[in-house]
């Protein structure tokens, strides 16, 4: 299923949202995540936020966010391996925006809006596994953020940054693959139009 994510990322290289959105309703995420990279020399690596028009299909929106997250994890891997590299400062600023402003909203979408609507249909028990993974990510991300703040300031991060960031990357890649393999097809199969509409409304409110 990683191939599905990779295919989406390839189809929309670095700018997934620009390819899927038609009516631009810029939100808080766009303002916070897009500008620091450009301001600090990372404009070439900018990964545009998804546009809210895609919320007409909230399951597709979450899937497209997964594709975008795959691109961002590639950037995090680059910064982890070369924190003093030429583009690292701009990338670090962009990644800080993703990890502190955007990813928490995505996780809230899943834990408070999507998973509860799927729980009665979760025959495989994958949802508790994914929620546990969210908790692990929350615990693990502190060392990653500390290192990224150093890199964004042009300073060398602590010695444990590279290992912490690479562990986060591999763990989150597995998480995305499992969600695309198990959750996205389940959501497409069981969510009725009324449930999809309510899900879309809740997700839109988080981005207003
Ligand atoms: Fe997700
Ligand atoms: Fe998740």
């Amino acid at each position: 299923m990683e191939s599905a994510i990779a295919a989406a990322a390839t189809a929309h290289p670095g700018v997934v949202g620009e390819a899927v959105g038609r009516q631009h309703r810029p939100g808080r995420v766009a303002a916070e995540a897009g500008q620091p990279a450009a301001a600090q020399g990372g404009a070439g690596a900018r990964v545009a936020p998804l546009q809210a028009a895609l919320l007409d299909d909230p399951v597709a929106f979450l899937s497209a966010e997964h594709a975008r997250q795959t691109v961002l994890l590639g950037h995090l891997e680059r910064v982890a391996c070369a924190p003093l590299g030429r583009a690292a400062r701009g990338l670090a600023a962009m990644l800080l925006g993703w990890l502190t402003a955007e990813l928490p909203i995505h996780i809230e979408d899943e834990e408070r809006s999507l998973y509860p609507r799927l729980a009665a249909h979760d025959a495989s028990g994958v949802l508790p596994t994914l929620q546990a993974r969210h908790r692990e990510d929350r615990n693990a991300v502190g060392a990653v953020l500390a290192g990224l703040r150093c890199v964004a300031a042009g300073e060398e991060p602590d010695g444990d940054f590279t290992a912490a960031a690479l562990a986060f990357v591999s763990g989150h890649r597995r998480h995305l693959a499992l969600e695309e393999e198990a959750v996205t097809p389940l959501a497409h199969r069981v969510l009725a139009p009324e449930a999809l509409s309510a899900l879309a409304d809740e997700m839109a409110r988080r981005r207003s």
Side-chain angles (χ1 to χ4, degrees):
M1 193 47 53
E2 272 178 297
S3 60
I5 299 173
T10 302
H12 311 296
V15 286
V16 174
E18 291 175 4
V20 294
R22 289 293 178 269
Q23 304 161 20
H24 191 185
R25 286 190 284 158
R28 178 160 51 98
V29 170
E32 292 178 353
Q35 293 176 5
Q40 299 192 33
R46 182 174 180 271
V47 182
L50 295 175
Q51 298 186 14
L54 189 60
L55 277 172
D56 292 344
D57 183 344
V59 177
F61 185 96
L62 290 171
S63 252
E65 284 201 338
H66 291 162
R68 181 169 176 271
Q69 288 175 25
T70 299
V71 176
L72 290 161
L73 288 172
H75 289 327
L76 180 55
E77 195 169 36
R78 285 176 58 199
V79 173
C81 294
L84 300 179
R86 195 166 58 87
R89 285 189 71 175
L91 288 173
M94 179 174 62
L95 290 164
L96 283 167
W98 169 49
L99 290 170
T100 62
E102 295 180 60
L103 188 58
I105 293 175
H106 179 93
I107 291 172
E108 198 173 348
D109 290 339
E110 292 175 339
E111 294 208 342
R112 301 188 65 170
S113 299
L114 178 63
Y115 293 176
R117 292 184 167 92
L118 300 179
H121 309 277
D122 181 25
S124 70
V126 70
L127 297 179
T129 300
L130 291 167
Q131 286 176 300
R133 183 66 221 177
H134 287 161
R135 286 194 296 275
E136 291 170 20
D137 268 3
R138 272 194 286 271
N139 293 333
V141 80
V144 179
L145 294 177
L148 288 174
R149 289 190 182 104
C150 288
V151 174
E155 299 167 3
E156 188 169 5
D158 286 349
D160 63 351
F161 167 66
T162 295
L166 292 178
F168 182 89
V169 167
S170 62
H172 200 66
R173 280 179 176 151
R174 286 195 300 274
H175 183 84
L176 293 175
L178 186 54
E179 288 187 327
E180 283 299 303
E181 179 182 302
V183 176
T184 302
L186 179 64
H188 281 305
R189 196 163 63 246
V190 306
L191 293 182
E194 311 80 58
L196 288 168
S197 178
L199 175 60
D201 286 347
E202 291 169 20
M203 290 169 60
R205 274 200 295 276
R206 292 191 185 102
R207 291 161 176 79
S208 63

